[in-house]
Amino acid sequence: MDLSMRTQAPCRALAALLAVFLAPSALAQSTGTIIPIDLERLRFMPGATDSMLVDTGHVLPEGGYRLMLMAGYERGILLVEGGDGVERNIINYRVAAWLAGAWSPTERLELSAKLPVIITQGGEDVTALVGVTEPKSFGLGTPEVGARYSLLRREDGAPVFLGLGLDIGLPGGTASAFGRQDGWAGFQIAPRIAVGREVGPLSLGASAGVRIRSTEVEPGRDFGTELEQGVVVATRGEGLRGEVALQAAESLVESDIALELLGGLRLPLGSGFEAYAMAGHGFTDIPGTPSLRINAGIAWAHTPPAREDPCKGGRTHTPEQCPDLDDDGDTVPNGQDRCPLEAGAVENQGCPDKDSDGDSVVDREDACPNEPGLPRYKGCPAPDADGDGVPDDEDACPKEPGDKANRGCPAPKAAPDSDGDGIPDDKDACPKEPGDAAHNGCPAPEEKPAEQTPPQEEAPNGPPMDHHVLFPTGEFALQEEEKQQLDGIAKYLKAHPRLSVSIEGHTDNTGPEELNRRLSQQRADMVRRYLIQHGVAGSRLVAKGYGPSRPLNGNGTPEEQRLNRRVEFITKPTGKAPKR
């Protein structure tokens, strides 16, 4: 006998399915034995938080539970076409019942269980069909346990409910009554994701998942793993509620899709009881999709008392629970406060201001956050052109090293000593040339090299040490004209061995400050290195860069910036001449 399961044309677009109601395609004739399969396609939610029929991601409150008993009638469940071309309703009707329940042991988690019972079913006489055994009229469907976990919740301020679900079909169904799959001992697994949201008086929801189960090879088609989707629109409120849902199951082993439209009503009876009813119509002849479905039942739900608002009356709470409060008292609400438990500044989004360099100027207002400075200089060190530790604005001699006791000026001397050899000019036979007391302030004859030339006279415009070595923007290499000036400075220093020199590098204010400080040090180091190469003892030379912190006359014009890209010299006597 040739048998085939009647199928529909493949169609993947749900909207197109509704438009054309899945026009059936031609069926091929084949011969084989019908293997028992799980024909039940009704998917319902025991917790029924927003919908009885589609998961919306909204789980029962912690400690809540719902028990339900439901009975139903289905018609037109399994059609078979014999080799004689005649279609027969192998299972034309089924009366079934479900005992189900859901419970939320902890926040965000809901557990459920379903036990379907096939009370009676029947169809046309199939004794004349080869390979077909009349299904048993009574048996169990596939028992199922499930879990749902809420990833996002509206009560926490999320824009939608978002949840994960997992249903597991267990052995126990009666295969000969088409209550379970023949393979895998009847095991099934159905993971899904669900989303929902309230819109005015309505709740909207959608879910998508896959039901993984054994593949049964049937005459004319295969039956097995399917993609499952559902959408629902349900009313909200305390009284009579209604909903309309569309459930679809697309086979991954055949080119067909099952589609069923269902509606439901729910009526509270008081004391936690609720009566409900649902009805549906299938648009395809895929096995298990009834042409008519009617279900009714009663449920009892326990809803734990609503929790007290933790944000009222000084109750214990977390900042996340109460975004409108100000737990740290800094006038920034918890929801906008980056440090909700630590008082801070409004300008710093509620977090305390840091002072990395400990100069009492907070980092967000400190122009030099890693270098101690003064508030009047925006947290940067005070300019000190002569490096004597006395700021320029307090230094009576800003270009001459001194001490604080003398307001930045050198300590007064009893008598002038032009050559710095420790012998006053009025007792120095050589007041312009360093010497010693044994020779009345003149150099010892044996200390003068034969080839030594007389000390270079000061230039008409002043000592060579007053010269500023200038540099192009961003460079520290010496220009040829500056090298000529440095040659004269080297001769002058060799002629005055008792002088030590502070070589100070500077930049204009263009570019990052840290880069300018490094560039000013490179300029000072380059000049020092040149003088050492031309015979000046390195022990007499100290190089230090100050970046843009010590401008000559500001940085407002290109000319002022050019004069600030400089190295200048600060001289002071060392007390004794270096050894030759």
Side-chain angles (χ1 to χ4, degrees), residues 503-505 520-528 543-545 567:
I503 303 172
E504 300 182 353
S520 67
Q521 186 65 48
Q522 290 171 328
R523 288 172 175 173
D525 290 340
M526 177 62 74
V527 170
R528 181 177 183 273
K544 184 175 181 180
V567 165

Side-chain angles (χ1 to χ4, degrees), residues 146-181:
R148 301 166 64 208
Y149 183 78
S150 178
L151 297 175
L152 298 177
R153 304 190 307 173
R154 295 280 287 147
E155 53 263 41
D156 294 335
V160 295
F161 291 108
L162 180 64
L164 298 177
L166 177 65
D167 294 328
I168 300 177
L170 304 174
T174 305
S176 58
F178 286 82
R180 72 167 175 85
Q181 294 292 102

Side-chain angles (χ1 to χ4, degrees), residues 426-493:
D426 57 355
K427 297 180 181 180
D428 195 333
C430 302
K432 300 286 187 181
E433 187 176 8
D436 52 46
H439 297 87
N440 297 320
C442 291
E446 63 274 14
E447 290 184 352
K448 269 192 178 181
E451 69 278 8
Q452 183 173 351
T453 59
Q456 178 179 339
E457 293 296 328
E458 294 184 359
N461 295 330
M465 304 309 294
D466 289 342
H467 176 69
H468 289 181
V469 182
L470 301 182
F471 294 83
T473 300
E475 296 184 14
F476 60 89
L478 294 171
Q479 306 298 305
E480 287 302 322
E481 58 270 21
E482 296 296 353
K483 290 181 180 180
Q484 294 175 9
Q485 294 288 342
L486 288 175
D487 290 343
I489 291 173
K491 291 180 181 180
Y492 180 84
L493 291 176

